[in-house]
Amino acid sequence: MRVAIVTGGSRGIGRATAARLGRDGFAVVVGYAGSADAAAEVVREVEAAGGEAVAAQADVAEEQQVSALFDTAQERFGGVDVVVHAAGRMHLAPVAELSLDELDALHRTNIRGTFVVAQQAARRVRDGGAVITFSTSVVGLSLPTYGAYAASKGAVEALTMILARELRGRDITVNAVAPGPTATDLFLEGKSPELVERMAKQPPLERLGEPADIAEVVAFLAGPARWVNGQVVRANGGIV
């Protein structure tokens, strides 16, 4: 049995990914920060489809909590084959106006959190496994107000590429998925309907991505995509 840890697994893209990997036959550890009820719903969804899952709380920036998350996978299912690090934080503001407290909080989750999860993954993912992080297509689009968020995700991309090379010889793939505008609470919060509609028209496919669209890419990287390694996959409907 292959085993996946999904951080941020109680909502949005993480939730869709946990459910999809469960349908693909993975036993899933649903990592969550605060919403135990939402995480329990994901576990029930996986189990209803015939899979196995367990919810486990962890602040991704705290080493001991993340280590305990991996311990849960080991104790319940025998090990870890795939790590999907979907937990993240976003705060939008022009560079000139951004609170440095918000900057620190954002970078704590997105940079330190990714490093802590990547560190445990490098130590504990079984040979033949996969590590999947999350960036954003805004790194390439350079949209105003996304400066701090995009900077944090640029760090994620750099870490991901280096980890792929550090795991040489273990048959472990390491890739980042960089979604474009996707209909999640994280994306929709604070945006007017007019702005959402305008952003939905950006890709040639003329719609927002859905969490299931991104989960499809993650499932590919977690399963059959053994020759895709050290890449950033921009899943954004064709925005350039």
Side-chain angles (χ1 to χ4, degrees), residues 7-158:
T7 70
S10 65
R11 62 193 180 101
I13 291 169
R15 178 175 185 147
T17 295
R20 171 59 193 265
L21 292 180
R23 292 195 299 273
D24 286 352
F26 284 86
V28 184
V29 177
V30 181
Y32 69 96
S35 181
D37 290 344
E41 287 178 8
V42 181
V43 170
R44 289 193 292 270
E45 183 178 350
V46 172
E47 292 176 341
E52 296 184 68
V54 63
Q57 186 173 24
D59 177 342
V60 294
E62 290 296 331
E63 180 183 13
Q64 296 306 317
Q65 293 184 34
V66 174
S67 180
L69 189 65
F70 280 74
D71 289 344
T72 297
Q74 180 70 46
E75 292 160 6
R76 287 293 299 269
F77 303 123
V80 182
D81 299 288
V82 170
V83 174
V84 181
H85 179 48
R89 182 184 182 98
M90 183 165 66
H91 184 82
L92 305 183
V95 170
E97 300 172 14
L98 181 72
S99 158
L100 294 183
D101 287 341
E102 287 287 356
L103 178 71
D104 290 343
L106 190 151
H107 284 192
R108 180 182 183 276
T109 297
N110 292 358
I111 299 178
R112 179 186 166 98
T114 300
F115 194 96
V116 171
V117 172
Q119 190 171 64
Q120 289 295 319
R123 295 170 180 171
R124 302 175 70 170
V125 167
R126 292 186 284 215
D127 291 2
V131 179
I132 299 148
T133 64
F134 270 84
S135 179
T136 172
S137 286
V138 176
V139 171
L141 296 172
S142 303
L143 299 178
T145 75
Y146 281 82
Y149 179 68
S152 73
K153 293 301 189 175
V156 169
E157 291 190 10

Side-chain angles (χ1 to χ4, degrees), residues 160-183:
T160 302
M161 299 307 101
I162 290 169
L163 185 61
R165 287 148 181 82
E166 290 182 349
L167 296 185
R168 174 183 292 273
R170 290 179 53 188
D171 189 30
I172 295 173
T173 63
V174 187
N175 296 286
V177 176
T182 305

